Amino acid sequence: MAFNYRPYIVSNPDVCGGEPVIVGTRVTLRTVLASMAEGMSAEEILADFPSLTRESIKAVLAFAAVSAEEDLPLPATPVLACKSSWTKICRSDSRLC
């Protein structure tokens, strides 16, 4: 079961220009993700942003994963070549090919 990030993240046009932030803070998801990309550990992020929790950092990662999943194109479905003995069957039902 996927982690429910929704209770931890909010976007309000009056806070940080509408950029998603951790609920109750002005810490943007982008800030947390950039910190992690630079190699900071969760402990270091928590030390820099004491208003965050381990759960809120987990929510940022879950949000990023879902966002990436939505933005990434689906891989092309491979097309298998029919063997000559299967050609007649493949033409009538391409799922068997």
PDB file of all heavy atoms in Angstrom, residues 35 40 43-51:
ATOM      1  N   SER A  35      17.567  19.234  -1.060  1.00  0.00           N
ATOM      2  CA  SER A  35      18.471  18.875   0.040  1.00  0.00           C
ATOM      3  C   SER A  35      18.871  17.412  -0.050  1.00  0.00           C
ATOM      4  O   SER A  35      20.040  17.060   0.129  1.00  0.00           O
ATOM      5  CB  SER A  35      17.802  19.149   1.393  1.00  0.00           C
ATOM      6  OG  SER A  35      17.518  20.521   1.534  1.00  0.00           O
ATOM      7  N   MET A  40      22.034  15.255   1.582  1.00  0.00           N
ATOM      8  CA  MET A  40      21.694  15.400   2.998  1.00  0.00           C
ATOM      9  C   MET A  40      20.864  14.215   3.467  1.00  0.00           C
ATOM     10  O   MET A  40      20.004  13.722   2.741  1.00  0.00           O
ATOM     11  CB  MET A  40      20.917  16.700   3.240  1.00  0.00           C
ATOM     12  CG  MET A  40      21.750  17.948   3.082  1.00  0.00           C
ATOM     13  SD  MET A  40      20.797  19.463   3.373  1.00  0.00           S
ATOM     14  CE  MET A  40      20.574  19.368   5.146  1.00  0.00           C
ATOM     15  N   GLU A  43      18.220  13.035   8.888  1.00  0.00           N
ATOM     16  CA  GLU A  43      18.604  13.653  10.154  1.00  0.00           C
ATOM     17  C   GLU A  43      19.106  15.085   9.944  1.00  0.00           C
ATOM     18  O   GLU A  43      18.795  15.984  10.722  1.00  0.00           O
ATOM     19  CB  GLU A  43      19.683  12.819  10.866  1.00  0.00           C
ATOM     20  CG  GLU A  43      19.197  11.488  11.397  1.00  0.00           C
ATOM     21  CD  GLU A  43      19.069  10.416  10.303  1.00  0.00           C
ATOM     22  OE1 GLU A  43      19.675  10.562   9.209  1.00  0.00           O
ATOM     23  OE2 GLU A  43      18.338   9.448  10.546  1.00  0.00           O
ATOM     24  N   GLU A  44      19.900  15.290   8.896  1.00  0.00           N
ATOM     25  CA  GLU A  44      20.414  16.632   8.604  1.00  0.00           C
ATOM     26  C   GLU A  44      19.285  17.579   8.193  1.00  0.00           C
ATOM     27  O   GLU A  44      19.270  18.746   8.596  1.00  0.00           O
ATOM     28  CB  GLU A  44      21.471  16.559   7.504  1.00  0.00           C
ATOM     29  CG  GLU A  44      22.751  15.869   7.941  1.00  0.00           C
ATOM     30  CD  GLU A  44      23.699  15.590   6.793  1.00  0.00           C
ATOM     31  OE1 GLU A  44      23.235  15.129   5.717  1.00  0.00           O
ATOM     32  OE2 GLU A  44      24.903  15.835   6.974  1.00  0.00           O
ATOM     33  N   ILE A  45      18.340  17.071   7.420  1.00  0.00           N
ATOM     34  CA  ILE A  45      17.201  17.891   7.008  1.00  0.00           C
ATOM     35  C   ILE A  45      16.359  18.262   8.226  1.00  0.00           C
ATOM     36  O   ILE A  45      15.947  19.417   8.388  1.00  0.00           O
ATOM     37  CB  ILE A  45      16.362  17.173   5.939  1.00  0.00           C
ATOM     38  CG1 ILE A  45      17.180  17.018   4.654  1.00  0.00           C
ATOM     39  CG2 ILE A  45      15.057  17.915   5.663  1.00  0.00           C
ATOM     40  CD1 ILE A  45      16.558  16.110   3.611  1.00  0.00           C
ATOM     41  N   LEU A  46      16.128  17.304   9.100  1.00  0.00           N
ATOM     42  CA  LEU A  46      15.364  17.576  10.323  1.00  0.00           C
ATOM     43  C   LEU A  46      16.077  18.593  11.213  1.00  0.00           C
ATOM     44  O   LEU A  46      15.430  19.415  11.854  1.00  0.00           O
ATOM     45  CB  LEU A  46      15.105  16.279  11.089  1.00  0.00           C
ATOM     46  CG  LEU A  46      14.159  15.289  10.397  1.00  0.00           C
ATOM     47  CD1 LEU A  46      14.159  13.955  11.119  1.00  0.00           C
ATOM     48  CD2 LEU A  46      12.756  15.864  10.299  1.00  0.00           C
ATOM     49  N   ALA A  47      17.403  18.544  11.241  1.00  0.00           N
ATOM     50  CA  ALA A  47      18.165  19.512  12.035  1.00  0.00           C
ATOM     51  C   ALA A  47      18.047  20.919  11.430  1.00  0.00           C
ATOM     52  O   ALA A  47      17.927  21.906  12.162  1.00  0.00           O
ATOM     53  CB  ALA A  47      19.632  19.093  12.122  1.00  0.00           C
ATOM     54  N   ASP A  48      18.058  21.007  10.105  1.00  0.00           N
ATOM     55  CA  ASP A  48      17.942  22.310   9.429  1.00  0.00           C
ATOM     56  C   ASP A  48      16.519  22.855   9.460  1.00  0.00           C
ATOM     57  O   ASP A  48      16.313  24.066   9.431  1.00  0.00           O
ATOM     58  CB  ASP A  48      18.405  22.200   7.979  1.00  0.00           C
ATOM     59  CG  ASP A  48      19.913  22.188   7.825  1.00  0.00           C
ATOM     60  OD1 ASP A  48      20.616  22.364   8.845  1.00  0.00           O
ATOM     61  OD2 ASP A  48      20.386  21.990   6.695  1.00  0.00           O
ATOM     62  N   PHE A  49      15.545  21.965   9.465  1.00  0.00           N
ATOM     63  CA  PHE A  49      14.137  22.360   9.440  1.00  0.00           C
ATOM     64  C   PHE A  49      13.406  21.647  10.578  1.00  0.00           C
ATOM     65  O   PHE A  49      12.719  20.642  10.371  1.00  0.00           O
ATOM     66  CB  PHE A  49      13.499  22.000   8.095  1.00  0.00           C
ATOM     67  CG  PHE A  49      14.192  22.610   6.907  1.00  0.00           C
ATOM     68  CD1 PHE A  49      15.094  21.874   6.156  1.00  0.00           C
ATOM     69  CD2 PHE A  49      13.942  23.928   6.556  1.00  0.00           C
ATOM     70  CE1 PHE A  49      15.734  22.433   5.064  1.00  0.00           C
ATOM     71  CE2 PHE A  49      14.578  24.502   5.470  1.00  0.00           C
ATOM     72  CZ  PHE A  49      15.482  23.760   4.720  1.00  0.00           C
ATOM     73  N   PRO A  50      13.529  22.150  11.802  1.00  0.00           N
ATOM     74  CA  PRO A  50      12.954  21.471  12.964  1.00  0.00           C
ATOM     75  C   PRO A  50      11.428  21.340  12.930  1.00  0.00           C
ATOM     76  O   PRO A  50      10.869  20.542  13.671  1.00  0.00           O
ATOM     77  CB  PRO A  50      13.411  22.308  14.152  1.00  0.00           C
ATOM     78  CG  PRO A  50      14.089  23.499  13.608  1.00  0.00           C
ATOM     79  CD  PRO A  50      14.284  23.328  12.148  1.00  0.00           C
ATOM     80  N   SER A  51      10.763  22.083  12.059  1.00  0.00           N
ATOM     81  CA  SER A  51       9.306  21.967  11.958  1.00  0.00           C
ATOM     82  C   SER A  51       8.880  20.730  11.168  1.00  0.00           C
ATOM     83  O   SER A  51       7.704  20.366  11.169  1.00  0.00           O
ATOM     84  CB  SER A  51       8.710  23.224  11.312  1.00  0.00           C
ATOM     85  OG  SER A  51       9.259  23.424  10.022  1.00  0.00           O
TER      86      SER A  51
END
